[in-house]
Amino acid sequence: MLDTPKGLRIHIGLFGRRNAGKSSLANALTHQHISIVSDVPGTTTDPVEKACELAPIGPVVFIDTAGIDDVGELGRARVERSKTVLEWVDLALIVASAQGLENNDREIAADAKHLGTPAILVLNKADLAGGAPSAEVLSDAESLWLPIVITDARTERGVDALRTAIIKIVQDDTEPDRPIAGDLAHAGDTVVLVTPIDSGAPKGRLILPQVQAIRELLDAHAKVVVVQQDRVAEAINELKVNPAFVMTDSQAIDDVAAQTPDNIPLTTFSLQMAYAKSDLIELARGAAALSHLKDGDKVLICETCSHHPQKDDIGRLKIPRWLREKTKVNLTIDVAVGKDFPDDLRPYKVLIQCGGCVVTRRHMLMRLRRAKAQGVPMTNYGIAICCLRGYLERVLSCHPEALSAYRQALAKEA
C-alpha cells in the first residue's frame, strides 16, 4: 500500500523486432532482471511490466513487449497485443539494430506518429555495428524524425544517455492526470467525503479514488471530513460554514443527495475520475444515449481492472439492473474486463467505462478516441449511475461545460 499505484505512473513501452535487445535494455534501464534475455527470437511472448523509480520523473512502469516481427497465428496475436500497448503508453522506445532498420521498425515508428505516442528510436547492439551505426544507417534513422540514442544494452553503453532522453520527453511531452478533486477546493475549504463501507470495500483500507481525493485535498490545505452515508446530514449540520462541496461514492447518491441541501455542490468520486482520467465533457455527452435505449440494443460495460466479482458487483450486476429498471426494455449487456478492448464497437449503442483508477489517462483517452471514431457514445460508471438515478444534472453543475454538453446531446437524441 506504500507503492505508487500503476495508474499514477508514467508508462514506457519497449517495441521492436524479436532479438533486437528489448529485454536486455529493459533490464539495464531498471537495474533489475524483469525480462528473460536469450538469443532465441521470441523469448518475450506477452507484455512484461515492471514498476520502478526513475529520478527525477518519479514512479514509472517499463513494459517489455513481444517482437513486432513474430510469425504464425499465435505470433500475429502477440504483435497485435504489442500494437495495442503502443496506443496507451506515455512513451515508446522503438528498439532497432544499429546495423540497419527493417520495415517493421519503420512501421512501428509510423504507428507511433499516427497515434500521437511520443517515441525515441534506440539503435541497439552497437557492438555488432563496429561500435557505431554507419552513416547510411544514421541517415535512414534520421528520416523517421525521432530522437535517436545509440546503445549497447549488454554493456550498458548509452543507457545513461537513453535515461536522459526519456526524462526530457516525459517532462516536455506527456500530460499528467488532472486532480481528482477537479481543482474544486482551495486552502481553508472544508470538504465532506462520503465513503460507504460495503461488501466491495477492501478490508482495512479505502479504495484508491478515495485515498487520492483525501491526499489531494490535504495537499491543497483543505479540511476533510470523511463519513459514511448515514452521517452526511449530521456532518454538514455540525460545520460552522457549509462545505465547499460534498463528494460521494456514486452508489450512495440517493442517500447523500437527500441529505445534502441544494445550495451545496454535490459530485461523485467516479465523476471526478472522469475529469481526471478522461474527457468529462465527452463522457457527459455520451450519457444522453442511456435515455434512448430501445428493445434489443446492446450495451458494453468496460472494466480496466480484473477483480473478482463481488456479490453485488457494480459493473456486472448493479448497473445492468439499474439500466433495465430505467429503460424497461430488453437489453443485451456484455462485459469487457482488463486491458483488452474490442476492436469493433459498432454493435453497441453505448459503452459504460469504469473510472480507470488502475490505468493511465492516456489509456482512458485511447478508449474514448476509438469509440468516437466508430460513432459509439461512451460514458462512465459514475455518470451513468447518476443519470439512471436522476441526479446527473445536479452533480454536473460543478462542471458547467459538461452539463451543457449533456443537455445538448439529450436534446439532439430527442
Side-chain angles (χ1 to χ4, degrees):
M1 292 194 298
L2 298 177
D3 292 336
T4 302
K6 281 189 178 181
L8 299 179
R9 292 173 178 265
I10 295 293
H11 283 57
I12 302 169
L14 293 95
F15 305 87
R17 290 178 286 119
R18 291 173 295 166
N19 226 20
K22 300 185 298 299
S23 298
S24 296
L25 199 59
N27 292 343
L29 284 165
T30 61
H31 297 298
Q32 300 177 53
H33 292 288
I34 67 171
S35 299
I36 297 173
V37 176
S38 170
D39 290 330
V40 178
T43 304
T44 302
T45 58
D46 287 307
V48 177
E49 298 186 3
K50 178 60 182 179
C52 63
E53 296 286 321
L54 182 63
I57 298 170
V60 301
V61 177
F62 283 98
I63 306 168
D64 185 13
T65 66
I68 56 173
D69 60 339
D70 213 338
V71 294
E73 185 176 347
L74 185 57
R76 285 191 291 273
R78 292 169 181 160
V79 171
E80 288 306 312
R81 176 159 293 198
S82 295
K83 289 185 175 181
T84 297
V85 174
L86 183 65
E87 288 190 81
W88 52 261
V89 292
D90 298 293
L91 171 63
L93 305 183
I94 301 172
V95 184
S97 171
Q99 294 178 291
L101 302 181
E102 302 286 346
N103 286 336
N104 303 101
D105 304 318
R106 298 184 186 92
E107 288 171 6
I108 203 73
D111 288 343
K113 183 177 181 180
H114 173 72
L115 294 166
T117 303
I120 297 172
L121 178 62
V122 184
L123 298 178
N124 193 35
K125 299 189 176 182
D127 58 324
L128 299 181
S134 67
E136 182 179 359
V137 171
L138 277 176
S139 177
D140 188 17
E142 289 168 353
S143 70
L144 299 180
W145 295 98
L146 293 175
I148 300 170
V149 179
I150 301 167
T151 63
D152 182 7
R154 296 200 181 197
T155 63
E156 297 200 8
R157 175 192 164 196
V159 171
D160 285 342
L162 179 56
R163 287 196 192 96
T164 300
I166 290 171
I167 291 165
K168 176 173 174 51
I169 289 184
V170 168
Q171 291 178 333
D172 293 348
D173 297 335
T174 60
E175 181 183 1
D177 288 357
R178 296 169 177 171
I180 190 174
D183 299 321
L184 297 177
H186 304 90
D189 285 346
T190 298
V191 177
V192 175
L193 301 184
V194 187
T195 60
I197 307 299
D198 56 19
S199 62
K203 185 176 180 179
R205 55 194 174 92
L206 301 175
I207 63 173
L208 182 57
Q210 295 165 354
V211 175
Q212 286 179 240
I214 292 171
R215 174 57 192 267
E216 262 186 34
L217 292 166
L218 292 176
D219 286 344
H221 297 278
K223 301 181 288 292
V224 186
V225 178
V226 184
V227 297
Q228 291 204 54
Q229 64 200 68
D230 60 344
R231 290 290 186 266
V232 177
E234 180 182 327
I236 292 174
N237 291 335
E238 289 176 350
L239 295 173
K240 292 182 179 179
V241 295
N242 282 341
F245 60 93
V246 174
M247 186 187 300
T248 180
D249 186 287
S250 303
Q251 299 179 68
I253 188 65
D254 292 302
D255 287 344
V256 177
Q259 297 176 70
T260 305
D262 290 341
N263 64 323
I264 297 176
L266 175 64
T267 186
T268 75
F269 288 102
S270 189
L271 185 142
Q272 294 305 133
M273 286 293 286
Y275 173 87
K277 289 282 190 179
S278 188
D279 184 332
L280 177 60
I281 293 174
E282 285 297 327
L283 295 179
R285 186 176 286 124
L290 299 173
S291 300
H292 300 284
L293 292 171
K294 298 181 176 61
D295 204 55
D297 281 349
K298 297 186 70 174
V299 176
L300 181 64
I301 305 287
C302 310
E303 285 192 348
T304 51
C305 63
S306 52
H307 68 272
H308 293 293
Q310 307 293 324
K311 66 179 182 180
D312 203 10
D313 194 84
I314 181 64
R316 295 167 175 84
L317 297 174
K318 286 186 177 179
I319 290 178
R321 182 171 70 239
W322 290 331
L323 267 172
R324 292 184 173 107
E325 287 174 355
K326 177 71 173 180
T327 63
K328 302 189 184 328
V329 297
N330 293 316
L331 299 170
T332 298
I333 300 176
D334 296 334
V335 180
V337 178
K339 291 180 179 178
D340 292 332
F341 196 56
D343 291 326
D344 187 4
L345 303 170
R346 291 170 298 177
Y348 299 101
K349 293 297 181 180
V350 64
L351 312 179
I352 305 178
Q353 170 67 53
C354 74
C357 57
V358 301
V359 296
T360 64
R361 183 164 192 260
R362 183 172 172 82
H363 193 131
M364 298 295 283
L365 289 172
M366 174 273 287
R367 292 189 167 199
L368 181 59
R369 182 174 65 245
R370 276 205 205 174
K372 287 180 65 177
Q374 297 183 43
V376 182
M378 174 182 268
T379 188
N380 92 330
Y381 280 18
I383 297 172
I385 291 170
C386 289
C387 180
L388 297 172
R389 309 306 291 172
Y391 301 103
L392 185 53
E393 295 214 1
R394 180 173 181 185
V395 297
L396 283 178
S397 63
C398 293
H399 300 275
E401 290 185 4
L403 176 58
S404 176
Y406 169 68
R407 286 173 171 168
Q408 290 173 10
L410 201 60
K412 184 178 180 180
E413 289 276 353

